[in-house]
Amino acid sequence: MFAKAFRVKSNTAIKGSDRRKLRADVTAAFPTLGADQVSELVPGKEELNVVKLYAHKGDAVTVYVSGGNPILFELEKNLYPTVYTLWSYPDLLPIFTTWPLVLEKLVGGADLMLPGLVVPPSGLPQVEKGDLCAIALVGNRAPVAIGVAVMSTAEMLTSGLKGRGFSVRHTYQDHLWKSGDKSSPPVLDSPDLSEEKDSVQVDPPLQDDMRGLQLKGEEENGEFPQLSREKSLSETSEDTGVKTLNQDSTGNRTIQEQMDELLEQCFLHALKSQVKKADLPLLTSTFLGSHMFSCWYGSPEGQQLDIKKSSYKKLSKFLQHMQQEHIIQVKELSKGVESIVAVDWKHPRITSFVIPEPSLTSQTIQEGSREQPYHPPDIKSLYCVPANMTLLFQESGHKKGSFLESSEVRAIIINYAKKNDLVDADNKNLVKLDPILCDCILEKNEQHTVLKLPWEHLLTRCLEKLQPAYQVTFPGQEPIVKKGKICPIDITLAQRASNKKVTMVRNLEAYGLDPCLVATILQQRCQASTTVTPAPGAKDSLQVQIQGNQVHHLGRLLLDEYQLPRKYIQGLEKAPKPGKKK
């Protein structure tokens, strides 16, 4: 279901009544969970977001996000846990086991076929048709997929373990998993793991079936996985299992430790390369949003800065720690507002810090599962020939609907005047108007009064009478030509309840920008909630809404990073005016 990128419709904080309803739904759907576990899964006070999205096949899905990770999703009034939840509660669902080399096919959107099942010594779990099941890999009990049983256990055994066994809903490494912290499955050994490894035998016919395995999602596309015949299944499972599941689980740091390091890196990077003595005193919020967030690009794999995932949880606690190391001095210059008032630029941690080179990943814009560098489009103003001006342009080989640049229009008009001997003999700056020019550029009340026009007036009138059009060319793509004027990116401010402001931006799609991605970036940089909704009065267009006046951050993103021309952005003047420094 999430094998391809999905489109987010909205992302909002859950209401108190909806939170209580979700708890009741979880209790009803998963009766094995105790009351304490339900309260832990659906916390009472911690932030919990409801994300409504459309899967690539058009299915409407509601996803519940806690701590930055999707924990549950709802499809057609059925509630499903994500792999992140199953790693915390591995016994929540009956677990079926398959070989590690099958995982790649499941991630690609295939269903699990019965020949791919591994039967443990204790036998298959007892399930009925339509039951929700977890799928794990040999050697690790941590689930890597969630599916619905297509038949009961008895029917599976009766069929000789042939045919489709499970309709897969969600997997480790799919796009729903990628919307979280992208952590790897923990290593959970089953009590009888060694016995299972020794006891599981694959008979030659079943082994042949596995080597020529055809998964349902690939049969539809005419693709068939080719499994290596050089290794036995047991050898392959050992090699692949270790590689897939243990790559981040042993010997590596936790997400929190990585975020602490990234936080310090961005802090030192900002002080060494961006903040100057003249900038002090500097609001701590400005230091974070305008300086630190623009310095995360040197992190491994382009990991984005998120203070909530660090051990500090809050910027103020982190800055207090840096103050204790005598790197900076922070003071509360006004009630509740802290500022950095001094920096020791000779501190060894600053002087020894080496500014990292931008990583390839951090210089790309992620769009679905594809990452590509963003380059602003080349936008060119054009003119379209209307029906009432066809006679003027037909001599040059153009007809109604032809698109021309302004330089081409000027050349055609000049050639037309010279070819028809319309240049005034006494004054070369004037052009005599013949019937065709009169019909094309003069108003009705001017038909018998205006006989000549200066060159500049003639050319200006011609351009005004032509229909406006524009051409947009994205790198590596064919030009897109449309009539009318291109709509600029529109930034507006709106007042909400309790005198709160929100920033809204629309028309991003016309410039090749993904509104959902822009919302994610702004959420990180502004440390404010964002929502993506359909733009009012516009078909197939989305609008990004950010809490607070975030025009300054939008301007930096669009102008400095995306290199869009200022003339195609309206509303930048609405940025808050900088206050006087005390």
Side-chain angles (χ1 to χ4, degrees), residues 248-265:
D248 292 326
S249 59
T250 58
N252 286 351
R253 296 163 300 165
T254 64
I255 295 294
Q256 190 176 79
E257 291 171 337
Q258 293 176 21
M259 195 55 64
D260 284 353
E261 181 182 346
L262 179 59
L263 191 60
E264 292 189 13
Q265 175 183 305

Side-chain angles (χ1 to χ4, degrees), residues 558-569:
L558 299 174
L559 295 174
D560 300 341
E561 296 188 34
Y562 293 164
Q563 299 292 312
L564 288 169
R566 184 178 289 269
K567 65 180 179 180
Y568 295 121
I569 307 171

Side-chain angles (χ1 to χ4, degrees), residues 134-238:
I135 301 165
L137 303 180
V138 171
N140 192 351
R141 198 164 54 91
V144 294
I146 293 95
V148 176
V150 175
M151 59 181 77
S152 66
T153 303
E155 291 171 328
M156 293 179 191
L157 297 174
T158 303
S159 70
L161 293 183
K162 293 186 185 286
R164 188 164 69 104
F166 301 88
S167 175
V168 177
R169 295 286 189 267
H170 159 55
T171 69
Y172 161 62
Q173 292 184 340
D174 69 6
H175 284 269
L176 184 60
W177 169 83
K178 288 179 181 178
S179 68
D181 61 19
K182 301 182 182 179
S183 54
S184 297
V187 177
L188 304 175
D189 291 335
S190 53
D192 58 346
L193 181 61
S194 58
E195 178 189 349
E196 180 177 321
K197 281 184 178 178
D198 295 335
S199 302
V200 174
Q201 300 294 330
V202 183
D203 60 297
L206 181 57
Q207 188 164 343
D208 289 339
D209 286 343
M210 279 294 294
R211 284 172 175 160
L213 185 62
Q214 296 179 5
L215 300 180
K216 178 177 178 291
E218 293 168 324
E219 289 173 350
E220 295 173 356
N221 297 327
E223 298 175 0
F224 302 94
Q226 299 297 322
L227 307 185
S228 172
R229 297 180 180 271
E230 296 178 0
K231 289 186 178 182
S232 68
L233 286 176
S234 57
E235 291 173 336
T236 308
S237 67
E238 275 186 35

Side-chain angles (χ1 to χ4, degrees), residues 418-436:
K418 291 181 177 179
K419 185 176 179 180
N420 292 279
D421 198 22
L422 299 179
V423 181
D424 188 76
D426 298 326
N427 187 348
K428 301 292 185 182
N429 292 325
L430 295 178
V431 180
K432 294 179 288 185
L433 303 183
D434 65 357
I436 292 178

Side-chain angles (χ1 to χ4, degrees), residues 18 154 181 409 492:
D18 292 336
D181 61 19
V409 173
T492 57

Side-chain angles (χ1 to χ4, degrees), residues 225-294:
Q226 299 297 322
L227 307 185
S228 172
R229 297 180 180 271
E230 296 178 0
K231 289 186 178 182
S232 68
L233 286 176
S234 57
E235 291 173 336
T236 308
S237 67
E238 275 186 35
D239 296 344
T240 314
V242 171
K243 190 174 184 179
T244 304
L245 297 180
N246 294 340
Q247 55 187 2
D248 292 326
S249 59
T250 58
N252 286 351
R253 296 163 300 165
T254 64
I255 295 294
Q256 190 176 79
E257 291 171 337
Q258 293 176 21
M259 195 55 64
D260 284 353
E261 181 182 346
L262 179 59
L263 191 60
E264 292 189 13
Q265 175 183 305
C266 293
F267 170 79
L268 296 171
H269 188 168
L271 290 181
K272 188 163 186 174
S273 66
Q274 296 192 16
V275 179
K276 308 299 179 187
K277 189 173 182 179
D279 297 329
L280 303 178
L282 180 65
L283 289 173
T284 56
S285 58
T286 303
F287 176 65
L288 174 67
S290 298
H291 301 290
M292 286 182 65
F293 271 118
S294 62

Side-chain angles (χ1 to χ4, degrees), residues 443-460:
E443 302 295 336
K444 287 185 178 180
N445 59 352
E446 297 176 322
Q447 295 281 346
H448 302 292
T449 56
V450 179
L451 303 178
K452 298 178 183 179
L453 281 176
W455 277 109
E456 201 56 43
H457 289 189
L458 174 64
L459 296 170
T460 301

